[in-house]
Amino acid sequence: MQVPEQWELGILRKYNREQARDIINELLVEIFNKILAIEGQNLKDKGIKLSMNEVHVLEAISLTDERTMSNVSKRLGITIGSLTTSINTLYQKGYVSRERDLEDRRKVVVGLLPKAEAVLEEHDAFHEEMIDSIFEEMELDKDELLIESLEKLSSYFKK
Amino acid sequence: MQVPEQWELGILRKYNREQARDIINELLVEIFNKILAIEGQNLKDKGIKLSMNEVHVLEAISLTDERTMSNVSKRLGITIGSLTTSINTLYQKGYVSRERDLEDRRKVVVGLLPKAEAVLEEHDAFHEEMIDSIFEEMELDKDELLIESLEKLSSYFKK
DNA sequence: TAAAATAACTTTGAAATTCAAACTATTTGA
DNA sequence: TCAAATAGTTTGAATTTCAAAGTTATTTTA
């Protein structure tokens, strides 16, 4: 016997594919802007005179193993030229070091100065706090399945 | 008795709070930049001469009920002044309309012209495709609990 | 090994994006 | 009515971005 499609959907599944899609869409796109805004406000409150963009450059440097201009720009998804201007001002403001690689003198290796490390610590602490408060509100840490799925989602975008 | 490490991982492995935090952090921050880049590339491929930013302005307009400068800028999280310049170029390029509200002549009401609707349709279709391909890869649509959790996560950031 | 190609980066020129603060026009409230 | 509040625009300045051209160093190839 054939069961009407609506039945199956109604009884067996609360969320349909379209709803799920909307939620993920929203999460991935709209929410992010809010986080950026909150982070920016946090920097201001702490008296840090850097844009979120500049903080992300510092973050990218800290997460990159071989810290050449190419590698960092690749991680950020911007051209090397764009990164050059960014590094110019960060160097000027005393956040990063910058020197030629002695092995391959075409390369420029950037590094984080103490001032930058301090900013990144602030930034990390803020992120941890934010996510912890999400956990608390949602009791997420009990939710094995969610974490597992998020990990899959995360790895999907890495490829 | 000591249990081999693999066993524990295989049978008992739980995500701890720190791991979960890292994954969510990554998802919310690093992944988003990749999506933006993919979307931008898609626009280019389709021959659409707009920046992702401009597309987001159009999107914000379409999602706003009373389409005044204030309301749209609030949704975007930028100042009205910033929106003014954005609307200037979009108006110039023929994507949006712009007229004073007759009821309250301080207000400016913006609207989407056919050219903008076409771009948004492209953009929506692309998003749906992207998320559908995530679903397929992950068999996410079977995962009721995930969707529920994501919804909670989403609503957390709305407040 | 000398010339050509490639790689890594900077510079230049131009356009977007953003904000704060000053300014204009309109409406509201006392 | 007139001061205050609201809604936008303009201005001036800084950031951010890219493409394309230029520089220097290294590698490949003929």
Side-chain angles (χ1 to χ4, degrees):
Chain A
M1 182 197 118
Q2 268 231 287
V3 179
E5 217 180 324
Q6 269 88 353
W7 278 27
E8 272 192 288
L9 285 173
I11 295 165
L12 299 177
R13 226 204 293 155
K14 254 205 283 188
Y15 293 89
N16 62 33
R17 199 189 185 89
E18 222 168 285
Q19 285 173 298
R21 189 164 60 199
D22 288 350
I23 293 165
I24 294 188
N25 211 0
E26 192 172 40
L27 186 74
L28 292 179
V29 177
E30 205 178 331
I31 304 313
F32 186 77
N33 290 314
K34 274 176 202 160
I35 297 177
L36 257 190
I38 296 169
E39 287 182 332
Q41 190 54 51
N42 177 250
L43 287 182
K44 232 190 222 167
D45 294 348
K46 295 259 165 66
I48 296 172
K49 290 222 169 57
L50 289 177
S51 70
M52 276 315 296
N53 232 305
E54 290 175 307
V55 174
H56 282 145
V57 171
L58 298 181
E59 207 177 24
I61 293 173
S62 83
L63 293 171
T64 302
D65 286 334
E66 210 209 332
R67 298 170 173 183
T68 61
M69 296 296 285
S70 285
N71 285 343
V72 174
S73 74
K74 213 170 289 168
R75 176 177 279 274
L76 286 165
I78 60 177
T79 61
I80 309 182
S82 298
L83 182 60
T84 295
T85 65
S86 221
I87 293 290
N88 282 346
T89 65
L90 285 171
Y91 179 77
Q92 238 258 313
K93 291 179 185 170
Y95 286 90
V96 302
S97 62
R98 179 191 224 176
E99 43 193 31
R100 288 275 163 190
D101 184 339
L102 295 180
E103 311 270 302
D104 184 341
R105 297 182 45 71
R106 290 171 303 181
K107 295 180 181 171
V108 168
V109 177
V110 292
L112 299 172
L113 297 179
K115 225 168 142 182
E117 304 277 13
V119 169
L120 286 179
E121 263 166 46
E122 277 287 6
H123 184 250
D124 283 354
F126 174 74
H127 257 228
E128 289 193 2
E129 224 171 88
M130 179 179 76
I131 293 179
D132 276 352
S133 88
I134 299 174
F135 280 171
E136 253 156 58
E137 185 132 324
M138 294 171 53
E139 298 176 14
L140 260 188
D141 52 353
K142 290 172 196 140
D143 198 338
E144 282 280 311
L145 195 63
L146 171 70
I147 309 297
E148 219 167 280
S149 299
L150 286 180
E151 200 169 52
K152 273 194 240 165
L153 198 60
S154 189
S155 72
Y156 172 83
F157 278 106
K158 277 196 195 148
K159 63 144 228 244
Chain B
M1 181 197 117
Q2 268 230 279
V3 178
E5 217 180 323
Q6 267 88 352
W7 278 28
E8 271 192 287
L9 282 173
I11 298 165
L12 300 175
R13 183 179 178 212
K14 297 259 187 276
Y15 288 90
N16 63 34
R17 201 186 183 90
E18 221 168 286
Q19 286 174 300
R21 188 164 60 198
D22 289 350
I23 293 164
I24 294 188
N25 211 359
E26 191 171 35
L27 185 75
L28 293 180
V29 176
E30 205 178 330
I31 304 310
F32 186 78
N33 290 314
K34 274 176 200 161
I35 296 176
L36 257 189
I38 295 169
E39 286 182 333
Q41 191 53 52
N42 177 250
L43 287 183
K44 232 189 220 167
D45 294 348
K46 296 259 164 68
I48 296 171
K49 289 225 170 57
L50 289 177
S51 70
M52 275 315 296
N53 232 306
E54 291 175 308
V55 174
H56 283 144
V57 171
L58 298 181
E59 208 177 24
I61 294 172
S62 82
L63 292 170
T64 303
D65 286 334
E66 210 209 335
R67 300 170 173 182
T68 61
M69 294 296 284
S70 286
N71 286 343
V72 174
S73 73
K74 213 170 291 169
R75 175 178 279 274
L76 285 166
I78 59 178
T79 62
I80 308 181
S82 297
L83 182 60
T84 295
T85 66
S86 217
I87 293 291
N88 283 345
T89 65
L90 285 170
Y91 179 77
Q92 238 258 314
K93 293 178 184 172
Y95 286 91
V96 302
S97 62
R98 179 191 224 175
E99 42 192 31
R100 289 273 163 193
D101 185 338
L102 294 180
E103 310 272 302
D104 183 342
R105 296 181 45 69
R106 290 171 305 182
K107 295 181 180 172
V108 168
V109 177
V110 291
L112 299 172
L113 298 180
K115 223 167 144 184
E117 305 276 13
V119 170
L120 287 179
E121 263 166 46
E122 278 286 7
H123 184 250
D124 284 354
F126 174 74
H127 256 230
E128 289 193 3
E129 223 172 89
M130 180 179 74
I131 292 179
D132 276 354
S133 87
I134 299 175
F135 280 172
E136 252 156 59
E137 187 133 324
M138 295 171 52
E139 300 177 14
L140 262 187
D141 51 354
K142 290 172 194 139
D143 198 337
E144 174 118 353
L145 203 62
L146 170 71
I147 310 295
E148 222 167 276
S149 299
L150 286 180
E151 200 167 53
K152 274 193 241 164
L153 198 60
S154 189
S155 71
Y156 171 83
F157 280 106
K158 277 194 194 151
K159 64 145 226 251

